[in-house]
């Protein structure tokens, strides 16, 4: 296939992945097929970036478990990888910062060697997060890129797109930077009207050419929330998550009524930060 003149693209998905499911993996396949089919792009990589523990979402289990499950889920993929940078940050990191981080890595040619958890190579041994060093493997010479530095684009579901309207969850300037400087590849679902949502948002409408809506014709309603609920009730999750992920969950008894109570009553990190910043910028409000 002649790839000259095509823009190389890296798909980046941020989220809890609590746990990672087959639906998360399908998002990447759908996004890749769509972008490649345009004839303008060539997807060269997909990156899964689990959020750090500081996000403080209800029921969010420790990041090292979520990272390992994501690595197990992508173990046999030739183009998907798991990145730990976001999850290793002490404080919650805005999505636009994660996008910027990966775009800068691409620009410096330091993104070709993903770090994988020692759990995969040495079963039973706990991962030492504080000793992990990023980009420790030797760098290979970069081959010339026909269309310059690959572009990072945010891969998401319709729920993330719709969350842009939740008060204090996103900063307007962050949304603008995401859609203007990077772009969205949004996989829609039954019952959602992403096009209408774009129409109702001035920011999204202004940058609609950088928002790619992907129809999911083979309906898949798997969600991490439903997986956790099934596990709490002792129900099977087979064929909903990769087999290795199911085995890991069962081995470590990751999801139960106790785990679902994690961060109960704690304000979600972006809400806490954005509300605080709004108060400081409007002291008389």
């Amino acid at each position: 296939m002649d790839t000259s003149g095509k823009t190389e693209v890296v798909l980046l998905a941020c989220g809890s992945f609590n746990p990672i499911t087959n639906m998360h993996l399908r998002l990447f396949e759908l996004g890749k097929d769509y972008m490649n089919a345009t004839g303008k792009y060539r997807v060269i990589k997909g990156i899964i970036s689990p959020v750090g523990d500081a996000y403080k979402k209800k029921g969010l289990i420790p990041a090292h478990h979520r990272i390992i499950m994501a690595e197990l889920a992508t173990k046999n993929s030739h183009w998907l990888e798991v990145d730990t940078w976001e999850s290793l940050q002490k404080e919650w990191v805005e999505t636009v910062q994660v996008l910027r981080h990966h775009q800068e890595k691409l620009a410096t040619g330091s993104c070709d060697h993903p770090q994988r958890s020692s759990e995969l190579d040495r079963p039973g041994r706990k991962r030492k997060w504080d000793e992990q060093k990023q980009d420790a493997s030797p760098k290979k010479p970069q081959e010339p890129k026909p269309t310059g530095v690959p572009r990072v684009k945010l891969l998401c579901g319709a729920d993330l797109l719709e969350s842009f309207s939740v008060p204090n969850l996103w900063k307007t300037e962050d949304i603008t930077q995401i859609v203007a400087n990077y772009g969205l590849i949004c996989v829609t679902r039954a019952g959602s009207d992403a096009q209408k949502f774009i129409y109702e948002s001035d920011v999204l409408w202004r940058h609609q050419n950088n928002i790619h809506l992907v129809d999911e014709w083979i309906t898949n309603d798997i969600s991490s929330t439903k997986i956790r609920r099934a596990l709490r009730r002792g129900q099977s999750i087979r064929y909903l998550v990769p087999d290795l992920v199911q085995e890991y969950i069962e081995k470590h008894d990751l999801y139960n009524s106790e785990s679902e109570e994690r961060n109960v009553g704690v304000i979600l990190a972006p809400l806490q930060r954005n509300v605080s910043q709004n108060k400081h910028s409007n002291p008389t409000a």
Side-chain angles (χ1 to χ4, degrees):
M1 179 184 297
D2 180 17
T3 59
S4 62
K6 294 183 180 180
T7 301
E8 292 184 330
V9 170
V10 172
L11 306 181
L12 172 68
C14 300
S16 300
F17 300 100
N18 188 40
I20 191 168
T21 72
N22 288 339
M23 181 58 207
H24 290 129
L25 302 177
R26 282 295 300 159
L27 287 179
F28 278 95
E29 296 295 329
L30 290 165
K32 180 182 179 182
D33 284 349
Y34 175 89
M35 295 301 283
N36 288 345
T38 64
K40 300 177 181 179
Y41 305 98
R42 183 170 73 92
V43 175
I44 61 171
K45 183 186 297 185
I47 300 175
I48 295 172
S49 180
V51 73
D53 295 336
Y55 188 56
K56 299 298 182 183
K57 187 176 183 179
K58 179 179 178 294
L60 188 67
I61 67 170
H64 74 272
H65 284 306
R66 293 182 284 112
I67 286 287
I68 291 171
M69 286 188 288
E71 289 176 340
L72 289 169
T74 57
K75 187 175 182 180
N76 296 321
S77 174
H78 68 280
W79 73 285
L80 294 180
E81 63 183 49
V82 182
D83 189 88
T84 61
W85 180 82
E86 181 182 1
S87 67
L88 291 174
Q89 304 307 303
K90 292 182 180 179
E91 295 185 354
W92 168 71
V93 181
E94 287 98 340
T95 300
V96 70
Q97 291 187 34
V98 183
L99 284 161
R100 187 179 302 120
H101 167 77
H102 286 286
Q103 190 63 66
E104 290 174 352
K105 284 182 68 177
L106 284 165
T108 58
S110 62
C111 67
D112 290 340
H113 303 277
Q115 292 75 47
R116 298 189 73 82
S117 168
S118 57
E119 178 79 14
L120 300 182
D121 302 317
R122 297 180 292 173
R125 296 190 63 175
K126 185 178 180 181
R127 185 175 191 178
K128 297 182 179 179
W129 290 87
D130 57 338
E131 294 180 3
Q132 180 179 3
K133 294 182 179 179
Q134 297 291 294
D135 302 316
S137 55
K139 307 290 188 299
K140 292 182 179 179
Q142 293 293 294
E143 295 181 0
K145 304 296 185 185
T147 55
V149 178
R151 302 302 304 171
V152 177
K153 292 187 179 295
L154 184 63
L155 176 69
C156 67
D159 53 344
L160 185 141
L161 185 70
E162 293 168 1
S163 75
F164 285 163
S165 66
V166 176
N168 295 314
L169 187 60
W170 296 84
K171 291 186 290 188
T172 302
E173 55 265 36
D174 284 2
I175 297 174
T176 301
Q177 286 188 47
I178 289 172
V179 294
N181 300 338
Y182 302 98
L184 282 179
I185 301 170
C186 177
V187 179
T188 63
R189 66 174 189 276
S192 68
D193 192 344
Q195 190 62 57
K196 182 174 182 290
F197 188 81
I198 292 172
Y199 168 75
E200 293 176 346
S201 165
D202 288 343
V203 172
L204 298 182
W205 181 261
R206 189 178 307 120
H207 301 285
Q208 60 180 304
N209 290 337
N210 210 18
I211 301 175
H212 305 271
L213 299 181
V214 184
D215 291 320
E216 182 192 3
W217 296 112
I218 303 176
T219 305
N220 187 336
D221 197 31
I222 301 172
S223 72
S224 296
T225 300
K226 293 178 180 179
I227 296 296
R228 297 197 305 275
R229 182 181 297 128
L231 288 166
R232 291 198 306 273
R233 298 175 180 179
Q235 298 171 340
S236 172
I237 60 169
R238 194 173 187 186
Y239 309 124
L240 300 177
V241 300
D243 289 343
L244 291 176
V245 172
Q246 180 186 356
E247 292 171 8
Y248 186 85
I249 290 172
E250 293 173 349
K251 175 182 177 182
H252 297 277
D253 188 24
L254 293 183
Y255 297 104
N256 46 52
S257 297
E258 183 179 345
S259 69
E260 197 65 19
E261 294 302 306
R262 288 175 60 91
N263 298 320
V264 167
V266 180
I267 299 175
L268 202 64
L271 292 174
Q272 189 174 30
R273 180 179 298 181
N274 294 335
V275 168
S276 176
Q277 290 177 349
N278 289 338
K279 286 182 178 179
H280 284 94
S281 61
N282 299 286
T284 59

